[in-house]
Amino acid sequence: MSKRTMTLNLTEAEMNALEELCAKKDLSKTGVLRQALRLYQLIEVRVEKGDKLFFEDDATKEKAEVMML
Amino acid sequence: MKVDITPIALLNGETGQAENAELWDAITEQQLSDWEGEWLPELFKSIQKLKRAGVERQHWPQSRHWDWRRKTKSLLGMLAHQGFSIVCDGVTQGMMIVDTTTKRCRLKEQKGKNLVYVSYVENAPWNRKELFDGSIRYRSVGSILIRAAIELSKKEEYKGRIGLHSLPQANGFYANVCGMTDLGADPDPDYAPMRYFEMNEEQAEAFIEKGLKP
């Protein structure tokens, strides 16, 4: 599969967050951003369909909706 | 749709000879047409034979309700999901859909890490010995698809980690042939009665090594 390259400009805080995720996930920056894009696309499609995004506390089963604007 | 095709070989169970085949990194209209026009008629005939032979319903193929057209339509437009298929003798011999994004590892040593999750994998009915009185047209279709999931996992920087929920009839294959760890029945009722299996980096290497042996 052919790949395309882009330059990404990030603030220092954004770059720090990206590097933290890379370390935590044991992934390269490309790997983390690819993951983020896939997840973002998935959420966008579901939200556009009218679905809601929730986080559920595993212990209490309490749900909190993530507001997607 | 651009499809990457990798040449592979399948062992013909009837002649004992290896035959040229192809691994596609997609499920296309050709596969869905094979599923509707070739797989389903054979599957229904097999189910009829099982019923007439008095085989209990629980022993009928557990994937018989899978609708590959619907699954493909709902999942494959998304970057998070990818399809694979195997074509031999001009006909689709197996299909698989994987999720590279939304699932995480459960095994203690890799808990929380990303993995390739095999959402659905199925062999053509004539390659399943339980449906065709022990005869199999092509062997190794399931193993090659699992190998494809491992290779994708490596490409995604997940080091070969894969996971899946197994239909009861396939538990032995994932535990014994693939060497995956059985983490037991999933507590989530949505997955009942399936067990969850996971493969770590070492198990992935062992599986590949085993496949390379003559």
Side-chain angles (χ1 to χ4, degrees):
Chain A
M1 195 175 288
S2 66
K3 288 183 178 164
R4 296 175 66 181
T5 306
M6 65 176 275
T7 304
L8 184 65
N9 294 314
L10 296 177
T11 64
E12 196 176 339
E14 288 164 343
M15 184 60 90
N16 288 342
L18 178 57
E19 285 171 349
E20 274 173 32
L21 281 167
C22 290
K24 188 178 167 193
K25 298 261 168 204
D26 193 18
L27 293 173
S28 66
K29 291 187 180 81
T30 301
V32 168
L33 288 171
R34 201 181 273 154
Q35 277 284 309
L37 179 60
R38 289 170 184 171
L39 202 53
Y40 191 20
Q41 186 204 36
L42 208 60
I43 292 168
E44 275 296 305
V45 168
R46 297 292 293 266
V47 170
E48 270 178 29
K49 268 172 41 188
D51 292 350
K52 287 178 179 170
L53 181 64
F54 287 95
F55 283 109
E56 185 183 74
D57 185 305
D58 205 25
T60 65
K61 301 295 170 200
E62 199 174 310
K63 285 183 183 175
E65 185 183 346
V66 180
M67 297 298 290
M68 302 291 291
L69 301 173
Chain B
M1 181 196 286
K2 184 175 177 314
V3 181
D4 276 349
I5 297 176
T6 307
I8 56 168
L10 290 182
L11 190 68
N12 186 314
E14 289 151 13
T15 64
Q17 300 294 309
E19 282 187 28
N20 291 332
E22 294 171 341
L23 173 68
W24 295 23
D25 70 343
I27 294 174
T28 70
E29 183 54 38
Q30 181 182 328
Q31 276 69 53
L32 298 175
S33 166
D34 283 347
W35 170 71
E36 284 167 330
E38 305 285 346
W39 291 30
L40 287 183
E42 290 295 337
L43 189 64
F44 291 143
K45 272 193 273 179
S46 309
I47 291 171
Q48 188 181 50
K49 250 169 60 182
L50 292 173
K51 181 184 174 289
R52 288 179 180 175
V55 175
E56 284 180 51
R57 200 165 168 271
Q58 65 184 33
H59 300 300
W60 297 1
Q62 289 157 336
S63 59
R64 63 185 183 274
H65 61 282
W66 286 6
D67 181 339
W68 280 95
R69 187 169 289 283
R70 194 172 55 80
K71 289 181 192 308
T72 304
K73 192 179 170 197
S74 65
L75 296 177
L76 290 187
M78 309 304 301
L79 295 170
H81 300 280
Q82 189 177 339
F84 287 91
S85 52
I86 290 177
V87 178
C88 187
D89 195 23
V91 179
T92 305
Q93 304 295 335
M95 288 189 278
M96 174 173 76
I97 295 176
V98 300
D99 175 344
T100 57
T101 306
T102 69
K103 307 286 190 205
R104 297 291 179 270
C105 292
R106 301 184 186 185
L107 270 175
K108 198 176 167 193
E109 69 268 21
Q110 56 189 21
K111 199 171 171 61
K113 289 191 173 171
N114 294 70
L115 82 170
V116 167
Y117 177 79
V118 179
S119 305
Y120 306 100
V121 59
E122 191 174 18
N123 219 329
W126 48 83
N127 297 330
R128 295 157 69 171
K129 62 174 183 278
E130 77 275 14
L131 296 183
F132 278 74
D133 303 326
S135 70
I136 295 178
R137 196 178 304 168
Y138 292 110
R139 294 179 183 278
S140 310
V141 172
S143 296
I144 291 171
L145 289 170
I146 290 298
R147 170 75 189 267
I150 294 170
E151 291 302 329
L152 178 65
S153 171
K154 288 177 157 189
K155 200 172 125 194
E156 295 290 334
E157 306 176 21
Y158 305 163
K159 301 181 176 172
R161 297 185 296 264
I162 66 166
L164 54 87
H165 284 87
S166 169
L167 291 169
Q169 287 164 344
N171 288 340
F173 172 73
Y174 296 120
N176 305 324
V177 178
C178 301
M180 298 174 80
T181 302
D182 180 357
L183 281 90
D186 197 296
D188 184 338
D190 285 349
Y191 288 105
M194 293 188 283
R195 301 177 79 81
Y196 178 73
F197 288 82
E198 200 168 286
M199 185 179 268
N200 63 23
E201 190 178 346
E202 292 72 33
Q203 289 166 327
E205 289 307 321
F207 179 75
I208 291 170
E209 190 67 29
K210 195 167 84 171
L212 293 175
K213 283 183 186 156

